[in-house]
Amino acid sequence: MKLSSKLQNLPEQFFSNLVQKVNAQIAAGVDVINLGQGNPDQPTPPHIVEALQTAAAEPANHKYSLFRGKPELKQAVADFYQREYGVAIDPETEVAILFGSKTGLVELPMCVLEEGETMLLPDPGYPDYLSGVVLSGVHFETMPLLEENAFLPDYQALSDEVCEAAKLMYLNYPNNPTGAVSTAAFFEETVDFAKENEIAVLHDFAYGALGFDGKKPRSFLQTEGAKEIGIELYTLSKTYNMAGWRVGFAVGNAELVEAINLIQDHLYVSLFPAVQDAAIAAISGPQDCVAELNARYQSRRDAFLTACEEIGWPYVAPEGSFFAWMKVPEGFTSSEFADHLLSEAGVAVADGSGFGACGEGYVRVGLLIDEPRLREAVLRVGQLDLFKKTIKNY
């Protein structure tokens, strides 16, 4: 018995390797400040937990869920999009309930591409996008996200051959790992580009609630014509600190939504009904917790960047998400710098090259600890002899 070629070809779990390195340092007695994670550090708001507790006591919720999710949850999703973004969603045909948005990200290429067909991925980008590529047996081309272009793809830089071959494209704003956000003009350009080249679009809106300086991140579906060619994936993991609950949804183009629903008919039934009831409480209930969480990340971002200014570590201020994308000094690769920070300063960051070739030269910092420890982490970096020697070479 051996693993199938698809499983053998799956990319190495980048974050698993990082966790192993961090745990080894902790086991050796090092006081590690872990800025490499992407796991929310705050608890789920009490009213959502209470909703789950109540729903879990209902015998009706102990049976198999309805295929494709509860109508009440799909209606709540439609109401959420109307309230938050002014986007009309048909709960019957334009909503798919997901076991976390990662599920939809991996499933969609299997749903709409034949083996060997081409999709476009951002570089740098969320590493698990590649899982869907391998499991679907498809080919991918990358769209570089460069600092000089505000970490937005330049469609004009793609060759005619790539544009003609591509059938599906992934975008992600606010962006992991760069912290960049999209503009209305870029999303309009995306719709025009997708229509001209007959490319379906998936917008990964995992960090949709997290925007800084009073600017609310835009939904792709707010763009005229977006539903004609695309869907958006939303997760409750970041907005409501529900990462372990594994609940999200896809909304938008009815054909793409139906494709996801169809494959999930064969893979699952649907989420535990009590979790669906808690999700309704999250997106339909009081939203003060979301505003408070966003303010917390803004405060952490500002504290981190102020500390970076004090030691002379240059940055591009993130406009959304809970990440900062930091340059590596000359003389280091991203991997070398990340390892050096962990071994010499007890500060864990994510190696930028783990997010793609265009991530080389950067490390990703997670703003997922309180401000005093964020500041301490930066001060530790500033005290490193090699950092002091190379800071002038940024």
Side-chain angles (χ1 to χ4, degrees), residues 295-355:
R296 181 187 295 270
Y297 288 133
Q298 167 95 48
S299 181
R300 289 177 178 180
R301 183 204 72 159
D302 293 347
F304 175 77
L305 297 183
T306 297
C308 289
E309 289 175 2
E310 292 174 2
I311 69 166
W313 195 359
Y315 59 80
V316 176
E319 297 180 83
S321 81
F322 45 51
F323 299 117
W325 192 231
M326 304 299 294
K327 286 186 176 180
V328 170
E330 288 186 13
F332 288 95
T333 65
S334 294
S335 176
E336 289 168 348
F337 189 59
D339 287 344
H340 186 72
L341 294 188
L342 181 58
S343 63
E344 301 302 320
V347 174
V349 297
D351 165 13
S353 66
F355 298 90

Side-chain angles (χ1 to χ4, degrees), residues 142-156:
T142 59
M143 301 179 293
L145 308 186
L146 305 178
E147 187 172 332
E148 55 264 34
N149 199 39
F151 299 112
L152 299 171
D154 178 3
Y155 298 133
Q156 303 305 314

Side-chain angles (χ1 to χ4, degrees), residues 350-365:
D351 165 13
S353 66
F355 298 90
C358 291
E360 180 56 58
Y362 297 86
V363 292
R364 192 193 73 177
V365 171

Side-chain angles (χ1 to χ4, degrees), residues 4 23 54 119 151 159 179 196 238 315 320 335 371 380-381:
S4 69
N23 288 342
T54 299
M119 64 184 298
F151 299 112
S159 69
E196 180 181 348
K238 283 75 178 179
Y315 59 80
S335 176
E371 293 166 31
R380 287 188 191 183
V381 174

Side-chain angles (χ1 to χ4, degrees), residues 13-32:
Q13 263 293 348
F14 167 63
F15 295 109
S16 175
N17 186 41
L18 176 61
V19 168
Q20 290 176 19
K21 290 181 178 181
V22 170
N23 288 342
Q25 289 294 99
I26 293 173
V30 177
D31 174 29
V32 175

Side-chain angles (χ1 to χ4, degrees), residues 261-275:
N261 277 325
L262 180 59
I263 195 172
Q264 291 194 156
D265 285 347
H266 293 270
L267 293 175
Y268 322 107
V269 177
S270 190
L271 289 169
F272 177 33
V275 170

